[in-house]
Amino acid sequence: MSSTCFVTVGSTRFDSLTNEILSDAALTALKKLGVTKVSIQLGSGEFEAKRFEEIFGSLCDHDSGSAVFAGLKIDFYRYKPSIAEDLADAKFVIGHAGAGTVIECLRLKKPLIVVVNELLMDNHQAELAAKLADLNHVLYCVPSDLTQTMLDSRLFTLQPYALPEMAKVARHIDRLMGVPA
Amino acid sequence: MGGAFWTILSIILVLLWIGVMYLWFMIRHFRREPLVDPKNGLRLLTVLGSGGHTTEMLDLLKHFNDEAYSNRTYVVADTDNHSERKALESEQARHSGTFVVEKIPRSREVGQSYLTSVFTTAYASLHAFIIVSRIRPSIVLVNGPGTCVPVAISAALLDMLRVANTRIVYVESICRVERLSLTAAILYYSGLADDVIVQWPQLKDTYPRVRTLDEMS
């Protein structure tokens, strides 16, 4: 059983999330969950300078890094061509509301906490996360509630979600077009 | 006086003609008459675009038979190298038929003023029209990037003019839970789409003519 928590923000930045995960409260919660390693896909964001130095020391390179802090292995990078492996290796995933990440986690049946960025108004992707949270397929919170949400006992009892079968749509279109079955 | 009379009369006639073409289009598409002889293969035209549209569209197209849909066109915005690469990758898994990637200018860049975007939209629409009239697709399959609006409208126009026989199908993103996207709503309310397919069944309460996956066998 993996003991990695993977944090992903997608193609832009989500500093309130990536800073929150490095807070003392969040790191304590992660250890309580049996996590031994936190891996963060940072995007174009920056960590809060003081905390960054506490954890990673005077690391010059701000594009990737690794440290052991408070009994946890913590590493970060900005981007990878594919995060599929990180998702597959994780015990659970903390991610932004991007549909790609959400759907990939559902496909892999990974426990997922979707953190919504309150600063992005009218974010229609949050609609999907909210619905999936209603149906108990993911957990859903704002950055400041992350610690509390990680300790929510439902995280590891979420219901698997049967993704819509695109093959059905294709057969429907075949019939519309007169393609023989 | 005489000039005004003939001008008004011709405007009325043109409007009438457009109305009749539109009605005839709606009736023909409502009856879902068999389209073409599938033995010759169908011409599929799709529009790819960033923000998850490309991923979702290629996920769907994986389930399309490459012999039945033997002539495939991928329309992408000219700045969207990512979608073009994804289209090429997906085509490598296919064994028959031909495909082409067509580029059209973006109708509006983020932050562009509305005044200049009128012109760039017109320019992009003209490009879309030229591509669609050249391909005369049997099916236009779209899922939402902005460029798909002029593509779908061009296809509908050419079908109304009886230059092409085209079905227009819109597949809504899984992200749309409560409301259709603007693009989907345009195609839904105008009746230009033969089908608007949605992934969340409760959308049918608001939009009774959409198709849900539950209705498909």
Side-chain angles (χ1 to χ4, degrees):
Chain A
M1 184 69 189
S2 160
S3 50
T4 302
C5 168
F6 180 55
V7 182
T8 176
V9 307
S11 55
T12 55
R13 63 192 294 168
F14 192 175
D15 291 3
S16 51
L17 166 61
T18 47
N19 285 323
E20 187 63 32
I21 193 71
L22 294 186
S23 70
D24 285 324
L27 295 179
T28 308
L30 284 166
K31 276 190 284 186
K32 210 177 272 179
L33 292 170
V35 168
T36 56
K37 181 183 165 192
V38 188
S39 185
I40 302 167
Q41 183 263 318
L42 182 63
S44 59
E46 294 296 339
F47 291 114
E48 196 257 311
K50 189 161 157 282
R51 190 63 172 167
F52 182 84
E53 211 180 301
E54 265 173 27
I55 295 174
F56 296 98
S58 49
L59 195 68
C60 302
D61 181 8
H62 282 227
D63 290 332
S64 67
S66 185
V68 175
F69 182 80
L72 281 165
K73 188 169 187 300
I74 303 174
D75 61 24
F76 74 92
Y77 62 87
R78 293 200 178 275
Y79 300 103
K80 268 187 194 172
S82 164
I83 59 165
E85 255 177 53
D86 297 84
L87 293 175
D89 288 346
K91 178 187 174 81
F92 71 99
V93 177
I94 298 171
H96 67 128
T101 306
V102 173
I103 288 167
E104 201 47 37
C105 286
L106 294 173
R107 206 190 299 273
L108 294 166
K109 301 184 171 47
K110 283 289 162 189
L112 171 66
I113 298 174
V114 177
V115 183
V116 284
N117 195 343
E118 309 128 292
L119 298 176
L120 294 179
M121 281 300 152
D122 193 33
N123 180 355
H124 74 81
Q125 298 205 321
E127 196 179 300
L128 173 68
K131 182 71 189 179
L132 290 167
D134 275 351
L135 298 172
N136 205 26
H137 299 302
V138 303
L139 292 182
Y140 173 80
C141 69
V142 294
S144 53
D145 292 334
L146 179 60
T147 300
Q148 193 192 326
T149 309
M150 280 195 289
L151 295 172
D152 189 322
S153 59
R154 290 175 301 168
L155 179 58
F156 296 102
T157 56
L158 292 167
Q159 296 298 310
Y161 175 74
L163 285 161
E165 290 171 59
M166 287 300 116
K168 262 181 159 181
V169 176
R171 297 296 79 76
H172 171 81
I173 294 170
D174 281 351
R175 277 193 296 277
L176 178 72
M177 301 305 296
V179 173
Chain B
M1 270 306 271
F5 172 76
W6 290 112
T7 310
I8 291 167
L9 185 68
S10 45
I11 289 173
I12 290 171
L13 284 175
V14 166
L15 288 177
L16 253 173
W17 179 67
I18 292 171
V20 169
M21 297 301 270
Y22 183 71
L23 257 175
W24 188 24
F25 172 91
M26 298 296 275
I27 292 167
R28 277 188 297 111
H29 284 258
F30 179 74
R31 282 154 60 184
R32 299 185 165 241
E33 284 163 352
L35 195 61
V36 280
D37 178 8
K39 277 197 285 277
N40 295 329
L42 296 160
R43 290 187 299 278
L44 169 87
L45 185 144
T46 186
V47 182
L48 303 179
S50 51
H53 295 299
T54 294
T55 312
E56 282 193 88
M57 182 53 78
L58 293 176
D59 256 359
L60 170 59
L61 286 175
K62 267 196 292 211
H63 302 284
F64 277 61
N65 182 289
D66 45 4
E67 281 169 34
Y69 301 86
S70 59
N71 181 313
R72 301 173 287 274
T73 305
Y74 302 87
V75 176
V76 301
D78 53 7
T79 49
D80 188 0
N81 296 324
H82 170 80
S83 294
E84 183 184 12
R85 199 175 60 241
K86 289 285 168 191
L88 298 177
E89 273 174 33
S90 78
E91 277 291 335
Q92 280 174 356
R94 297 195 182 272
H95 305 291
S96 78
T98 56
F99 79 97
V100 60
V101 176
E102 294 279 1
K103 299 191 175 177
I104 66 177
R106 242 181 231 283
S107 36
R108 191 169 176 273
E109 295 291 349
V110 175
Q112 191 185 335
S113 84
Y114 280 100
L115 186 66
T116 57
S117 72
V118 171
F119 295 102
T120 49
T121 302
Y123 183 61
S125 303
L126 182 68
H127 260 259
F129 186 81
I130 291 168
I131 290 168
V132 178
S133 57
R134 185 156 36 81
I135 309 248
R136 288 183 290 123
S138 336
I139 175 169
V140 166
L141 182 62
V142 289
N143 72 347
T147 25
C148 80
V149 178
V151 169
I153 291 176
S154 302
L157 265 174
L158 291 161
D159 185 290
M160 282 180 205
L161 296 168
R162 307 306 304 123
V163 175
N165 260 323
T166 306
R167 297 263 194 260
I168 299 170
V169 177
Y170 188 97
V171 182
E172 186 59 291
S173 164
I174 194 170
C175 298
R176 297 296 176 158
V177 178
E178 308 289 348
R179 311 223 39 100
L180 291 181
S181 61
L182 179 61
T183 316
I186 290 171
L187 295 180
Y188 176 83
Y189 286 115
S190 64
L192 296 185
D194 290 86
D195 267 337
V196 174
I197 297 168
V198 298
Q199 303 196 43
W200 287 96
Q202 66 268 29
L203 281 165
K204 204 170 174 81
D205 302 338
T206 320
Y207 310 92
R209 287 183 285 116
V210 297
R211 308 242 162 203
T212 66
L213 271 71
D214 303 341
E215 301 165 334
M216 301 169 190
S217 47

